[in-house]
Amino acid sequence: MTRVFSVVLLLAAVLVLGGCYDYSEPDEKAWILALGLDKGKQNVLTVTAVIAIPKGIAGGGGGEPAAGGGGGGKFFTVSLEAPTLLSSLELLDAVVDRRADMSHIKWLVFSRALAEEGIGRYFGPITRFHQFRRSTHLVVCEGRAEDFLKQGKPILEDNVGKYYELLMRGWRYTEFIPFDTFHFLYQKSNTPGVEPVAPLAALNRKEPVYRNDTPKPKGAYQAGRLPRKGGGEIEIMGGAVFSKGRMVGTLDGDQVGVQKMFFGNLRRTIVDVPDPEHPGFYVIVDVHPRYTPRVDVRIGEDGLPEIAVRVALEGSIMSIQSGEDYESPERLPVLEKAVAEAYLTDINKTVAKSQALGADFLGFGLHAKKLFLTWPQWVAYDWDAKYPDATVTVSVDFRVRRVGLIHKTEPLR
Amino acid sequence: MSRYKPVVGVSEGITLLFIFISSKVFLAHITFILHDGMNASWVIPFINTFTGLLGVLLLVAVLDRHPGKDLVEIGDELAGPYINTLFALYYLVVLVSGAGFALRFISERVVAGFLTDTPISMVTLSFLAGTVVVAYLGLEAVARTARFLVGVLVVSTLALVVLTIPFWQWHVFYPLLGWGAWEVLQGALTTTGNYVQILLLGIIYPFLPRGKARLVGVWGVLIAGFFFTLMVLVPLLIFTYPTISEMTLPTFEMARIISIGRFGQRMEVVFLPIWVFANMIFITASLYGGAAVLARLCKLGDYRPFVPAVTVFTTVAAFIPQNVSQASYWNHDYLTRYSFYVLVVILLGLRLAARLKGGRGAENDQGV
């Protein structure tokens, strides 16, 4: 009798543990893959949700194979006017037949106009809400986020979520895409002595950006000003600098590369260096950091920071347009010096920009706080106020390690 | 205390004790440490471990003079039934309120992060259903459950730590002294209650192998201290100060932030067993301990009739706070801050009583 009772009790327990209250079928959810926020037209905010159409991603069902390769992302967007970001979730349930769920969100897109007004007020609510994850990417887009998300269809991917993830994963292969996920962005926003940089994105600009064909470093571009035809509608290049929850400026591709180098997130970059001996020609070098830049900070007698930076890079020669024999050991220093100087210029420009913006997005303050014994002392020093007047000295050392598959260039005859 | 005398081995004892002390690192407790120590909070568990060690040595010194007896029986012998009733009620309050808060926190955590539409009463019921059965089965069942699950707990916890290494930021150690040396020390001195759970050693003492209580106590506290330090340090390294101080459940956020390519995300469910098992073992041991204290207090040989009563007390204690914030603050104010000192005062009182009674008490089999 006891055993029978135990079995009945166990079965009853299994029923309870099945979680009837939180019963939810994945095919009864509307999976939001991106949320866009704009200044509202009929309310405080226009919230745009990108919702996946799973049938389009996974195939027709009934054992049919996935469609595959069609691209287009298989999603639809809904834009709602709402007073707050999270209240739009409930509004969404009034519009979409499936229950909206943010658990798989990849991007949180703010329009530049809203970001410049200040988006700090949206950070707190987001981190508190259980469906939101700090691994999400916060993106700032030129124009309205509503249009950006609606028109930003992938070409290669059926799954728009995968498209968003792979696009952002470009930070590994190019220096032009910032690394900061929401986790790092929020943390840097909270921490004295450092400011965050969010990826800057835009739709493909149809009309020409530049009026002439003068040489421009490729890293001088930023999203919305990238001369191109074809490809997907979305481009990500450059960064949006934040300070105290408000966007205060933008960085071009090269400046983002420098910012990533200071946080150890720059893996490699291809640098076009003007040939030191043949004007109009380029030497193309694949560059890797040897180690994260060494930063020494001291407080000068005037109370202002004095920052010394040592950058160490190495790389391989990819191409020498002029055919000049730079590969020989005695000629390599010429090339190394040219690359180091090019990088030094980029770093100095980036440092100057950070001081002009009054936003230490290179994180010098994280090194400066080692000089203080206690947190109150560090906060009282008021790094943000002193950083714009800091003296920053940068030295760059570049070494060629490999010369590619050509041992010695023979000139064309 | 029941029909037969249970036997708890050394490794089972150590496992049970360290899980009982350190399971709280998976709940909101460490948030308060982070408030006290700022970016130097990782020092606080070190100091706490040291005080915990002193406490456990004092406890063992009291216990070893009365082999075969638990703390309640020793109190009865040394302090007399009236004063000992106060002592025993204190043990009961520590065990029941600790279990009550743990029950509330783990239930709230499940509701906050996993079963968001399920009423908390259902979640609580599920936790109690499992824990009451094991507590009713007795100390051997409790200890063996802990020993059985410790592998899962340790491996999962270490995996959780290792998988977050890419997020560690070393600048968090600076400024070195955080809020200030004195303030950090104060923080440590007002969170000693994290080790009040050494009390369990006083309850299971008669069932441990003779002469091994010190070994069990010291290793239990040291291993707990390791996990305590780890679970304060790692969230600090990941989220850095001051962001970490905002979080209700740092270890939950640790699991949520893991990202290993496109397919290695949303891994908190993988780590759910850590939080559930650790806290279920804590609640089970508390229910058993509470029932054992009551049985001793009533001078009954069997603890089992008291398990349902202690379960009811625990459930009531869990729901006295009106909300989870109140529960967190009450737990910190009433259990974490000063409960350890009260236990130390009781133990010192018992040592003093032993001296005043003139005898050295019974020696254990090693003559210690």
mmCIF file of all heavy atoms in Angstrom, chain B residues 311-350:
data_model
loop_
_atom_site.group_PDB
_atom_site.id
_atom_site.type_symbol
_atom_site.label_atom_id
_atom_site.label_comp_id
_atom_site.label_asym_id
_atom_site.label_seq_id
_atom_site.Cartn_x
_atom_site.Cartn_y
_atom_site.Cartn_z
ATOM 1 N N THR B 311 9.516 22.358 8.988
ATOM 2 C CA THR B 311 9.189 22.740 7.610
ATOM 3 C C THR B 311 8.167 23.875 7.602
ATOM 4 O O THR B 311 8.287 24.836 6.830
ATOM 5 C CB THR B 311 8.631 21.523 6.845
ATOM 6 O OG1 THR B 311 9.548 20.453 6.967
ATOM 7 C CG2 THR B 311 8.418 21.848 5.375
ATOM 8 N N VAL B 312 7.189 23.751 8.470
ATOM 9 C CA VAL B 312 6.171 24.816 8.560
ATOM 10 C C VAL B 312 6.818 26.115 9.043
ATOM 11 O O VAL B 312 6.605 27.186 8.465
ATOM 12 C CB VAL B 312 5.019 24.397 9.505
ATOM 13 C CG1 VAL B 312 4.078 25.577 9.771
ATOM 14 C CG2 VAL B 312 4.250 23.237 8.914
ATOM 15 N N PHE B 313 7.670 26.019 10.080
ATOM 16 C CA PHE B 313 8.374 27.218 10.570
ATOM 17 C C PHE B 313 9.166 27.872 9.434
ATOM 18 O O PHE B 313 9.165 29.092 9.260
ATOM 19 C CB PHE B 313 9.363 26.856 11.690
ATOM 20 C CG PHE B 313 8.725 26.421 12.983
ATOM 21 C CD1 PHE B 313 9.441 25.652 13.896
ATOM 22 C CD2 PHE B 313 7.420 26.773 13.289
ATOM 23 C CE1 PHE B 313 8.868 25.250 15.088
ATOM 24 C CE2 PHE B 313 6.832 26.369 14.481
ATOM 25 C CZ PHE B 313 7.559 25.605 15.370
ATOM 26 N N THR B 314 9.848 27.008 8.684
ATOM 27 C CA THR B 314 10.704 27.511 7.596
ATOM 28 C C THR B 314 9.867 28.231 6.540
ATOM 29 O O THR B 314 10.235 29.321 6.070
ATOM 30 C CB THR B 314 11.467 26.328 6.958
ATOM 31 O OG1 THR B 314 12.279 25.729 7.952
ATOM 32 C CG2 THR B 314 12.328 26.790 5.799
ATOM 33 N N THR B 315 8.766 27.620 6.186
ATOM 34 C CA THR B 315 7.900 28.225 5.160
ATOM 35 C C THR B 315 7.363 29.565 5.658
ATOM 36 O O THR B 315 7.320 30.551 4.904
ATOM 37 C CB THR B 315 6.736 27.279 4.821
ATOM 38 O OG1 THR B 315 7.269 25.979 4.620
ATOM 39 C CG2 THR B 315 5.998 27.729 3.581
ATOM 40 N N VAL B 316 6.979 29.574 6.923
ATOM 41 C CA VAL B 316 6.468 30.833 7.495
ATOM 42 C C VAL B 316 7.572 31.893 7.484
ATOM 43 O O VAL B 316 7.366 33.037 7.059
ATOM 44 C CB VAL B 316 5.947 30.605 8.936
ATOM 45 C CG1 VAL B 316 5.639 31.928 9.623
ATOM 46 C CG2 VAL B 316 4.699 29.737 8.915
ATOM 47 N N ALA B 317 8.767 31.463 7.915
ATOM 48 C CA ALA B 317 9.894 32.411 7.932
ATOM 49 C C ALA B 317 10.180 32.936 6.528
ATOM 50 O O ALA B 317 10.512 34.109 6.353
ATOM 51 C CB ALA B 317 11.136 31.728 8.502
ATOM 52 N N ALA B 318 10.020 32.060 5.546
ATOM 53 C CA ALA B 318 10.310 32.469 4.160
ATOM 54 C C ALA B 318 9.373 33.579 3.697
ATOM 55 O O ALA B 318 9.767 34.433 2.907
ATOM 56 C CB ALA B 318 10.198 31.266 3.234
ATOM 57 N N PHE B 319 8.161 33.530 4.202
ATOM 58 C CA PHE B 319 7.178 34.479 3.668
ATOM 59 C C PHE B 319 6.807 35.600 4.637
ATOM 60 O O PHE B 319 5.880 36.354 4.374
ATOM 61 C CB PHE B 319 5.934 33.731 3.182
ATOM 62 C CG PHE B 319 6.218 32.985 1.913
ATOM 63 C CD1 PHE B 319 6.543 31.647 1.930
ATOM 64 C CD2 PHE B 319 6.228 33.659 0.699
ATOM 65 C CE1 PHE B 319 6.861 30.971 0.755
ATOM 66 C CE2 PHE B 319 6.538 32.991 -0.475
ATOM 67 C CZ PHE B 319 6.854 31.650 -0.443
ATOM 68 N N ILE B 320 7.536 35.715 5.714
ATOM 69 C CA ILE B 320 7.312 36.882 6.584
ATOM 70 C C ILE B 320 7.737 38.174 5.873
ATOM 71 O O ILE B 320 6.993 39.152 5.869
ATOM 72 C CB ILE B 320 8.035 36.721 7.945
ATOM 73 C CG1 ILE B 320 7.346 35.639 8.772
ATOM 74 C CG2 ILE B 320 8.018 38.039 8.715
ATOM 75 C CD1 ILE B 320 8.066 35.312 10.068
ATOM 76 N N PRO B 321 8.909 38.195 5.226
ATOM 77 C CA PRO B 321 9.244 39.419 4.471
ATOM 78 C C PRO B 321 8.219 39.641 3.355
ATOM 79 O O PRO B 321 7.833 38.696 2.669
ATOM 80 C CB PRO B 321 10.624 39.111 3.886
ATOM 81 C CG PRO B 321 11.163 37.998 4.682
ATOM 82 C CD PRO B 321 9.990 37.204 5.137
ATOM 83 N N GLN B 322 7.840 40.902 3.205
ATOM 84 C CA GLN B 322 6.785 41.181 2.229
ATOM 85 C C GLN B 322 7.290 41.118 0.798
ATOM 86 O O GLN B 322 6.507 40.951 -0.132
ATOM 87 C CB GLN B 322 6.193 42.556 2.504
ATOM 88 C CG GLN B 322 5.398 42.573 3.792
ATOM 89 C CD GLN B 322 4.809 43.937 4.071
ATOM 90 O OE1 GLN B 322 4.796 44.796 3.208
ATOM 91 N NE2 GLN B 322 4.319 44.130 5.274
ATOM 92 N N ASN B 323 8.563 41.294 0.628
ATOM 93 C CA ASN B 323 9.109 41.239 -0.724
ATOM 94 C C ASN B 323 10.556 40.770 -0.659
ATOM 95 O O ASN B 323 11.144 40.686 0.415
ATOM 96 C CB ASN B 323 9.002 42.610 -1.410
ATOM 97 C CG ASN B 323 9.547 43.705 -0.523
ATOM 98 O OD1 ASN B 323 10.702 43.657 -0.129
ATOM 99 N ND2 ASN B 323 8.708 44.675 -0.169
ATOM 100 N N VAL B 324 11.104 40.523 -1.815
ATOM 101 C CA VAL B 324 12.446 39.927 -1.837
ATOM 102 C C VAL B 324 13.507 40.918 -1.340
ATOM 103 O O VAL B 324 14.507 40.511 -0.738
ATOM 104 C CB VAL B 324 12.763 39.382 -3.248
ATOM 105 C CG1 VAL B 324 12.960 40.496 -4.251
ATOM 106 C CG2 VAL B 324 13.999 38.496 -3.228
ATOM 107 N N SER B 325 13.264 42.214 -1.565
ATOM 108 C CA SER B 325 14.233 43.204 -1.074
ATOM 109 C C SER B 325 14.287 43.172 0.449
ATOM 110 O O SER B 325 15.368 43.182 1.046
ATOM 111 C CB SER B 325 13.835 44.609 -1.525
ATOM 112 O OG SER B 325 13.877 44.686 -2.905
ATOM 113 N N GLN B 326 13.094 43.133 1.043
ATOM 114 C CA GLN B 326 13.044 43.083 2.508
ATOM 115 C C GLN B 326 13.724 41.814 3.023
ATOM 116 O O GLN B 326 14.466 41.858 4.008
ATOM 117 C CB GLN B 326 11.585 43.116 2.962
ATOM 118 C CG GLN B 326 11.422 43.447 4.426
ATOM 119 C CD GLN B 326 9.962 43.583 4.806
ATOM 120 O OE1 GLN B 326 9.135 42.737 4.477
ATOM 121 N NE2 GLN B 326 9.621 44.658 5.484
ATOM 122 N N ALA B 327 13.475 40.722 2.328
ATOM 123 C CA ALA B 327 14.101 39.457 2.737
ATOM 124 C C ALA B 327 15.621 39.584 2.689
ATOM 125 O O ALA B 327 16.313 39.138 3.613
ATOM 126 C CB ALA B 327 13.633 38.331 1.826
ATOM 127 N N SER B 328 16.139 40.197 1.617
ATOM 128 C CA SER B 328 17.597 40.358 1.482
ATOM 129 C C SER B 328 18.153 41.185 2.638
ATOM 130 O O SER B 328 19.157 40.817 3.257
ATOM 131 C CB SER B 328 17.939 41.078 0.182
ATOM 132 O OG SER B 328 17.480 40.361 -0.895
ATOM 133 N N TYR B 329 17.508 42.313 2.911
ATOM 134 C CA TYR B 329 18.018 43.201 3.963
ATOM 135 C C TYR B 329 17.880 42.565 5.340
ATOM 136 O O TYR B 329 18.766 42.703 6.176
ATOM 137 C CB TYR B 329 17.313 44.564 3.902
ATOM 138 C CG TYR B 329 17.910 45.436 2.815
ATOM 139 C CD1 TYR B 329 17.349 45.473 1.548
ATOM 140 C CD2 TYR B 329 19.053 46.201 3.041
ATOM 141 C CE1 TYR B 329 17.906 46.249 0.541
ATOM 142 C CE2 TYR B 329 19.621 46.975 2.051
ATOM 143 C CZ TYR B 329 19.037 47.008 0.797
ATOM 144 O OH TYR B 329 19.607 47.764 -0.186
ATOM 145 N N TRP B 330 16.770 41.877 5.579
ATOM 146 C CA TRP B 330 16.597 41.217 6.871
ATOM 147 C C TRP B 330 17.655 40.140 7.060
ATOM 148 O O TRP B 330 18.220 40.004 8.131
ATOM 149 C CB TRP B 330 15.194 40.595 6.963
ATOM 150 C CG TRP B 330 14.131 41.587 7.272
ATOM 151 C CD1 TRP B 330 14.252 42.947 7.293
ATOM 152 C CD2 TRP B 330 12.773 41.294 7.606
ATOM 153 N NE1 TRP B 330 13.055 43.524 7.600
ATOM 154 C CE2 TRP B 330 12.118 42.538 7.801
ATOM 155 C CE3 TRP B 330 12.031 40.126 7.748
ATOM 156 C CZ2 TRP B 330 10.774 42.640 8.131
ATOM 157 C CZ3 TRP B 330 10.691 40.206 8.077
ATOM 158 C CH2 TRP B 330 10.078 41.462 8.271
ATOM 159 N N ASN B 331 17.859 39.369 6.013
ATOM 160 C CA ASN B 331 18.864 38.314 6.084
ATOM 161 C C ASN B 331 20.229 38.909 6.430
ATOM 162 O O ASN B 331 20.963 38.387 7.271
ATOM 163 C CB ASN B 331 18.931 37.577 4.749
ATOM 164 C CG ASN B 331 19.987 36.495 4.758
ATOM 165 O OD1 ASN B 331 19.848 35.498 5.436
ATOM 166 N ND2 ASN B 331 21.070 36.712 4.031
ATOM 167 N N HIS B 332 20.531 40.023 5.765
ATOM 168 C CA HIS B 332 21.828 40.660 6.020
ATOM 169 C C HIS B 332 21.883 41.223 7.439
ATOM 170 O O HIS B 332 22.862 41.009 8.163
ATOM 171 C CB HIS B 332 22.058 41.774 5.000
ATOM 172 C CG HIS B 332 23.373 42.465 5.176
ATOM 173 N ND1 HIS B 332 24.576 41.831 4.967
ATOM 174 C CD2 HIS B 332 23.682 43.723 5.556
ATOM 175 C CE1 HIS B 332 25.564 42.662 5.210
ATOM 176 N NE2 HIS B 332 25.060 43.818 5.573
ATOM 177 N N ASP B 333 20.823 41.915 7.807
ATOM 178 C CA ASP B 333 20.835 42.593 9.117
ATOM 179 C C ASP B 333 20.785 41.611 10.284
ATOM 180 O O ASP B 333 21.448 41.820 11.299
ATOM 181 C CB ASP B 333 19.643 43.559 9.214
ATOM 182 C CG ASP B 333 19.827 44.752 8.284
ATOM 183 O OD1 ASP B 333 20.983 44.987 7.876
ATOM 184 O OD2 ASP B 333 18.839 45.411 7.946
ATOM 185 N N TYR B 334 19.986 40.559 10.147
ATOM 186 C CA TYR B 334 19.753 39.691 11.311
ATOM 187 C C TYR B 334 20.607 38.430 11.315
ATOM 188 O O TYR B 334 20.866 37.860 12.357
ATOM 189 C CB TYR B 334 18.269 39.323 11.409
ATOM 190 C CG TYR B 334 17.394 40.545 11.543
ATOM 191 C CD1 TYR B 334 16.336 40.771 10.668
ATOM 192 C CD2 TYR B 334 17.645 41.503 12.519
ATOM 193 C CE1 TYR B 334 15.544 41.908 10.772
ATOM 194 C CE2 TYR B 334 16.866 42.645 12.623
ATOM 195 C CZ TYR B 334 15.815 42.844 11.750
ATOM 196 O OH TYR B 334 15.059 43.972 11.855
ATOM 197 N N LEU B 335 20.990 37.959 10.144
ATOM 198 C CA LEU B 335 21.787 36.725 10.125
ATOM 199 C C LEU B 335 23.262 36.974 9.808
ATOM 200 O O LEU B 335 24.144 36.428 10.454
ATOM 201 C CB LEU B 335 21.211 35.757 9.083
ATOM 202 C CG LEU B 335 20.186 34.740 9.588
ATOM 203 C CD1 LEU B 335 19.792 33.791 8.471
ATOM 204 C CD2 LEU B 335 20.732 33.933 10.763
ATOM 205 N N THR B 336 23.497 37.797 8.797
ATOM 206 C CA THR B 336 24.875 37.935 8.323
ATOM 207 C C THR B 336 25.711 38.813 9.243
ATOM 208 O O THR B 336 26.896 38.589 9.424
ATOM 209 C CB THR B 336 24.885 38.521 6.902
ATOM 210 O OG1 THR B 336 23.992 37.756 6.105
ATOM 211 C CG2 THR B 336 26.256 38.471 6.289
ATOM 212 N N ARG B 337 25.111 39.828 9.813
ATOM 213 C CA ARG B 337 25.902 40.802 10.571
ATOM 214 C C ARG B 337 26.466 40.247 11.880
ATOM 215 O O ARG B 337 27.668 40.194 12.071
ATOM 216 C CB ARG B 337 25.053 42.034 10.894
ATOM 217 C CG ARG B 337 25.049 43.075 9.799
ATOM 218 C CD ARG B 337 24.326 44.317 10.267
ATOM 219 N NE ARG B 337 24.024 45.210 9.167
ATOM 220 C CZ ARG B 337 24.896 46.054 8.631
ATOM 221 N NH1 ARG B 337 26.118 46.114 9.111
ATOM 222 N NH2 ARG B 337 24.551 46.825 7.631
ATOM 223 N N TYR B 338 25.568 39.821 12.758
ATOM 224 C CA TYR B 338 26.036 39.566 14.123
ATOM 225 C C TYR B 338 25.774 38.143 14.639
ATOM 226 O O TYR B 338 26.138 37.825 15.757
ATOM 227 C CB TYR B 338 25.391 40.569 15.091
ATOM 228 C CG TYR B 338 25.623 42.000 14.661
ATOM 229 C CD1 TYR B 338 24.577 42.818 14.254
ATOM 230 C CD2 TYR B 338 26.923 42.525 14.623
ATOM 231 C CE1 TYR B 338 24.805 44.124 13.841
ATOM 232 C CE2 TYR B 338 27.163 43.818 14.207
ATOM 233 C CZ TYR B 338 26.104 44.622 13.819
ATOM 234 O OH TYR B 338 26.346 45.900 13.399
ATOM 235 N N SER B 339 25.106 37.306 13.845
ATOM 236 C CA SER B 339 24.719 35.987 14.362
ATOM 237 C C SER B 339 25.939 35.160 14.774
ATOM 238 O O SER B 339 25.880 34.385 15.730
ATOM 239 C CB SER B 339 23.902 35.230 13.322
ATOM 240 O OG SER B 339 24.667 35.049 12.152
ATOM 241 N N PHE B 340 27.046 35.351 14.052
ATOM 242 C CA PHE B 340 28.250 34.583 14.367
ATOM 243 C C PHE B 340 28.772 34.946 15.756
ATOM 244 O O PHE B 340 29.216 34.095 16.515
ATOM 245 C CB PHE B 340 29.314 34.858 13.304
ATOM 246 C CG PHE B 340 30.563 34.059 13.456
ATOM 247 C CD1 PHE B 340 30.617 32.728 13.051
ATOM 248 C CD2 PHE B 340 31.711 34.612 13.996
ATOM 249 C CE1 PHE B 340 31.777 31.983 13.184
ATOM 250 C CE2 PHE B 340 32.871 33.882 14.138
ATOM 251 C CZ PHE B 340 32.904 32.558 13.727
ATOM 252 N N TYR B 341 28.697 36.243 16.055
ATOM 253 C CA TYR B 341 29.204 36.686 17.361
ATOM 254 C C TYR B 341 28.377 36.099 18.502
ATOM 255 O O TYR B 341 28.904 35.754 19.549
ATOM 256 C CB TYR B 341 29.210 38.215 17.451
ATOM 257 C CG TYR B 341 30.145 38.848 16.444
ATOM 258 C CD1 TYR B 341 29.676 39.695 15.458
ATOM 259 C CD2 TYR B 341 31.506 38.562 16.473
ATOM 260 C CE1 TYR B 341 30.533 40.263 14.530
ATOM 261 C CE2 TYR B 341 32.375 39.117 15.555
ATOM 262 C CZ TYR B 341 31.885 39.963 14.580
ATOM 263 O OH TYR B 341 32.736 40.498 13.666
ATOM 264 N N VAL B 342 27.056 36.006 18.280
ATOM 265 C CA VAL B 342 26.193 35.418 19.319
ATOM 266 C C VAL B 342 26.604 33.966 19.550
ATOM 267 O O VAL B 342 26.721 33.506 20.692
ATOM 268 C CB VAL B 342 24.704 35.520 18.915
ATOM 269 C CG1 VAL B 342 23.817 34.859 19.969
ATOM 270 C CG2 VAL B 342 24.300 36.974 18.705
ATOM 271 N N LEU B 343 26.855 33.263 18.443
ATOM 272 C CA LEU B 343 27.278 31.860 18.566
ATOM 273 C C LEU B 343 28.607 31.767 19.319
ATOM 274 O O LEU B 343 28.773 30.910 20.198
ATOM 275 C CB LEU B 343 27.420 31.234 17.168
ATOM 276 C CG LEU B 343 27.832 29.765 17.144
ATOM 277 C CD1 LEU B 343 26.768 28.884 17.786
ATOM 278 C CD2 LEU B 343 28.117 29.291 15.731
ATOM 279 N N VAL B 344 29.529 32.674 19.007
ATOM 280 C CA VAL B 344 30.832 32.670 19.681
ATOM 281 C C VAL B 344 30.645 32.936 21.181
ATOM 282 O O VAL B 344 31.271 32.276 22.027
ATOM 283 C CB VAL B 344 31.780 33.716 19.046
ATOM 284 C CG1 VAL B 344 33.008 33.956 19.920
ATOM 285 C CG2 VAL B 344 32.218 33.247 17.664
ATOM 286 N N VAL B 345 29.743 33.858 21.505
ATOM 287 C CA VAL B 345 29.489 34.161 22.924
ATOM 288 C C VAL B 345 28.940 32.920 23.625
ATOM 289 O O VAL B 345 29.359 32.576 24.744
ATOM 290 C CB VAL B 345 28.514 35.361 23.054
ATOM 291 C CG1 VAL B 345 28.008 35.496 24.491
ATOM 292 C CG2 VAL B 345 29.206 36.651 22.618
ATOM 293 N N ILE B 346 28.029 32.223 22.968
ATOM 294 C CA ILE B 346 27.475 30.996 23.566
ATOM 295 C C ILE B 346 28.595 29.967 23.785
ATOM 296 O O ILE B 346 28.701 29.360 24.859
ATOM 297 C CB ILE B 346 26.370 30.409 22.656
ATOM 298 C CG1 ILE B 346 25.152 31.317 22.668
ATOM 299 C CG2 ILE B 346 25.991 29.001 23.098
ATOM 300 C CD1 ILE B 346 24.062 30.921 21.692
ATOM 301 N N LEU B 347 29.435 29.805 22.763
ATOM 302 C CA LEU B 347 30.509 28.816 22.882
ATOM 303 C C LEU B 347 31.497 29.196 23.981
ATOM 304 O O LEU B 347 31.937 28.336 24.761
ATOM 305 C CB LEU B 347 31.244 28.674 21.533
ATOM 306 C CG LEU B 347 30.407 28.088 20.390
ATOM 307 C CD1 LEU B 347 31.194 28.112 19.085
ATOM 308 C CD2 LEU B 347 29.965 26.670 20.712
ATOM 309 N N LEU B 348 31.817 30.486 24.053
ATOM 310 C CA LEU B 348 32.712 30.938 25.123
ATOM 311 C C LEU B 348 32.061 30.711 26.486
ATOM 312 O O LEU B 348 32.726 30.316 27.453
ATOM 313 C CB LEU B 348 33.067 32.415 24.932
ATOM 314 C CG LEU B 348 34.033 32.726 23.784
ATOM 315 C CD1 LEU B 348 34.162 34.233 23.591
ATOM 316 C CD2 LEU B 348 35.407 32.109 24.058
ATOM 317 N N GLY B 349 30.747 30.962 26.532
ATOM 318 C CA GLY B 349 30.003 30.730 27.779
ATOM 319 C C GLY B 349 30.084 29.272 28.192
ATOM 320 O O GLY B 349 30.278 28.951 29.376
ATOM 321 N N LEU B 350 29.955 28.389 27.229
ATOM 322 C CA LEU B 350 30.008 26.960 27.541
ATOM 323 C C LEU B 350 31.411 26.555 28.006
ATOM 324 O O LEU B 350 31.554 25.743 28.929
ATOM 325 C CB LEU B 350 29.604 26.140 26.305
ATOM 326 C CG LEU B 350 28.127 26.259 25.895
ATOM 327 C CD1 LEU B 350 27.848 25.477 24.622
ATOM 328 C CD2 LEU B 350 27.212 25.751 27.011
#
